[in-house]
Structure formats: C-alpha cells, structure tokens
Amino acid sequence: MLITHDTRCALDTVVDLVNTAPEDDTADGLATLAALEDFVANHEISDVGTLTELDLSAVRKIRGRFSGIFAAPEPRAAAVLINELVAAAGTTPRLTDHDGYDWHVHYFAPGASVADHLAADCGMALAFFVVAGEQERLRRCEAPDCRRAFVDLSRNRSRRYCDSRTCGNRLHVAAYRARRKEAAG
C-alpha cells in the first residue's frame, strides 16, 4: 500500500489525537485550549485560524468518533463511522503545495474549523486503509495495561504493541521472568 507524505502525517495526527483521550489512570491530553493549541502546532495543522473553547469541544467530540474507528470489528463498521465523519466535515478536496511541500490533496474546505479539518483529512487517511482492505492495521495495543491506538505499518501486519520499547519489551521481560521462575522450580 502506497502511503503518501500527507496521508502519513494525517495517520500520525489521528493516532496522536485518539491517544490524547483519558484512559484509566491518565489525564485528558486535550484538557485545555492551550493543549489543543500545542497539538495543532506540533502536528503542523495548517489554516485553522484562532482556536476557541468551541474548537476544543468539537475536537474532543471527533476524537471519540475516531476512537470508534480503531475499535471497529470489521471494515463495514469502520466505513460507516468514517463516512459520517467525513460527510459532517463538508469535505472539499483541493490540490495544494503550501509550506514547501509538493502537491498534495487537502480534503477540508478553506476556512474550515480545526475539527472539520481533522475529520476530513484524517478521516480520508483512514478511508484509504478500508478501501485497500487494510482496516485490520488500525489497532489498539495488546498490552493488558495499555489501549493506545496505532497503525500497523509492518510488512507482515504483525505489530502488536503501540511501542515495542515500552509495552512490547515490558511484556517480553515479564514472560521471560515467568519462564525462568517456572524452570527454577
């Protein structure tokens, strides 16, 4: 599957957005307007204007809808959620070559809110995975104490953890210690 630069940026953005949601013992990564402003700046989200509390509320709402896509049991369920998000955003595909990037497609209308911008661009990036028959690559970490979202871009679709250096390594070390303990008696 060919993943263009802008699609990869949208995938990284939607994964990071979903992972800002509060989990069992973590705080909301978008608790304040300043946090949203940092998110927009860190992901270089262009053409969003001045952000307000209404933007923060709208982004939190679509974050939950994106989370549902990562939890979708099959492509048809993911497609329904993606279609709703993209349609509500008023998608307006257009070619652009801003900020030193070569030609690419933006799916949000000029002057769209940050929530509509995210819904359109990130929704379309996820749609490409469903169209390519790769919806199973939209995953949640399999570590028992972690449910972070990620996109499995491994060649053989074998990635199981959001980060092999933290979740994966921690589980492998625990399994190793359990085997050693069992072998010792």
Side-chain angles (χ1 to χ4, degrees):
M1 175 175 182
L2 174 67
I3 300 174
T4 62
H5 170 76
D6 52 314
T7 299
R8 180 59 193 258
C9 289
L11 290 172
D12 291 343
T13 300
V14 72
V15 165
D16 288 348
L17 177 63
V18 168
N19 289 334
T20 65
E23 292 289 327
D24 299 326
D25 59 345
T26 61
D28 188 336
L30 290 178
T32 65
L33 185 55
L36 177 60
E37 289 167 345
D38 288 344
F39 183 87
V40 167
N42 291 337
H43 289 86
E44 299 178 356
I45 300 171
S46 62
D47 196 27
V48 294
T50 303
L51 300 173
T52 67
E53 291 291 331
L54 290 174
D55 290 313
L56 179 60
S57 176
V59 169
R60 285 185 191 146
K61 183 177 177 181
I62 64 158
R63 174 181 66 187
R65 297 180 80 191
F66 278 124
S67 185
I69 295 166
F70 280 85
E74 46 88 28
R76 186 165 306 281
V80 167
L81 296 171
I82 292 168
N83 284 339
E84 289 171 356
L85 264 170
V86 171
T91 308
T92 307
R94 63 189 169 97
L95 287 169
T96 183
D97 66 344
H98 65 88
D99 297 330
Y101 293 106
D102 204 0
W103 289 104
H104 59 283
V105 179
H106 279 187
Y107 295 95
F108 59 93
S113 70
V114 67
D116 285 346
H117 179 131
L118 291 168
D121 273 0
C122 296
M124 289 305 299
L126 297 176
F128 297 145
F129 276 77
V130 174
V131 167
E134 302 284 354
Q135 184 253 339
E136 74 273 4
R137 289 182 182 270
L138 309 177
R139 298 194 175 163
R140 291 290 190 156
C141 183
E142 291 182 18
D145 58 343
C146 180
R147 295 298 300 151
R148 291 179 58 85
F150 67 94
V151 178
D152 179 4
L153 297 177
S154 67
R155 186 173 280 182
N156 61 357
R157 298 176 188 88
S158 62
R159 187 170 161 200
R160 298 173 47 207
Y161 307 109
C162 63
D163 185 353
S164 61
R165 287 177 284 196
T166 54
C167 291
N169 192 43
R170 187 169 19 107
L171 289 175
H172 289 111
V173 167
Y176 171 77
R177 288 181 179 157
R179 286 191 306 270
R180 297 254 334 223
K181 184 177 180 179
E182 185 178 307

